[in-house]
């Protein structure tokens, strides 16, 4: 008596017909980099607004720099989530789109934290602006690649 060979996919016959892993990776990377570019640009603006202002002993939360910092951080996280959500639209799963978009938003905060402090310390505010261009260009390129991956899946 011969047994049926096991399916190569863990879900067996219920496996999806299309593979969206490449699309998910490219969409999340594009979203994370787009959000990072926006936050780095806003950090450059914050550092520019601080020129000529003496350092305060207590944080001034009513200053334009503080408002720009808060708005830029929130906008960058939202941009990362929106870009990821939009690029993942071919998967037609709100749960997966939302989950990956939220992860991309939080990953943006981690990447900006890791990149911005050393850049600002080593190269100053112009290093932040220069660094904002690189992830912006990479995000655009990955968004194009995600579109091709969606067509190929």
């Amino acid at each position: 008596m011969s047994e049926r060979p096991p399916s190569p996919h863990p879900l067996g016959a219920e496996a999806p017909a299309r593979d969206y892993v490449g699309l998910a990776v490219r969409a999340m990377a594009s979203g994370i980099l787009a959000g990072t570019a926006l936050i780095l640009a806003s950090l450059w603006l914050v550092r520019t607004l601080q020129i000529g202002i003496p350092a305060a002993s207590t944080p001034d939360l009513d200053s334009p720099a503080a408002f720009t910092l808060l708005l830029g951080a929130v906008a960058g996280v939202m941009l990362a989530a929106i870009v990821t959500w939009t690029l993942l639209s071919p998967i037609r799963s709100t749960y997966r789109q939302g989950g990956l978009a939220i992860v991309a938003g939080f990953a943006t905060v981690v990447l900006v934290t890791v990149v911005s402090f050393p850049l600002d310390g080593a190269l100053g505010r112009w290093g932040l602006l220069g660094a904002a261009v690189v992830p912006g260009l990479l995000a655009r390129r990955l968004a194009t690649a995600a579109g091709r991956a969606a067509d190929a899946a």
Side-chain angles (χ1 to χ4, degrees), residues 49-60:
L49 290 171
Q50 292 174 335
I51 292 175
I53 297 174
S57 59
T58 60
D60 182 12

Side-chain angles (χ1 to χ4, degrees), residues 9 16 18-29 88 91 96 100 145-146 149-150 152-153:
H9 194 282
R18 299 177 116 182
D19 183 15
Y20 292 113
V21 174
L23 170 64
V25 169
R26 287 177 181 94
M28 287 185 65
L88 288 174
I91 66 173
R96 290 183 179 106
L100 293 175

Side-chain angles (χ1 to χ4, degrees), residues 27-121:
M28 287 185 65
S30 180
I32 292 167
L33 289 171
T36 299
L38 180 60
I39 294 174
L40 287 173
S42 70
L43 287 175
W44 172 81
L45 183 57
V46 167
R47 298 291 284 146
T48 302
L49 290 171
Q50 292 174 335
I51 292 175
I53 297 174
S57 59
T58 60
D60 182 12
L61 300 179
D62 292 330
S63 69
F67 180 73
T68 304
L69 179 63
L70 178 63
L71 185 65
V74 171
V77 170
M78 292 300 297
L79 178 65
I82 290 169
V83 167
T84 303
W85 175 278
T86 304
L87 291 175
L88 288 174
S89 63
I91 66 173
R92 293 186 178 95
S93 169
T94 305
Y95 176 75
R96 290 183 179 106
Q97 278 179 277
L100 293 175
I102 290 169
V103 169
F106 284 117
T108 300
V109 174
V110 173
L111 182 60
V112 166
T113 304
V114 169
V115 169
S116 66
F117 290 120
L119 269 174
D120 186 37

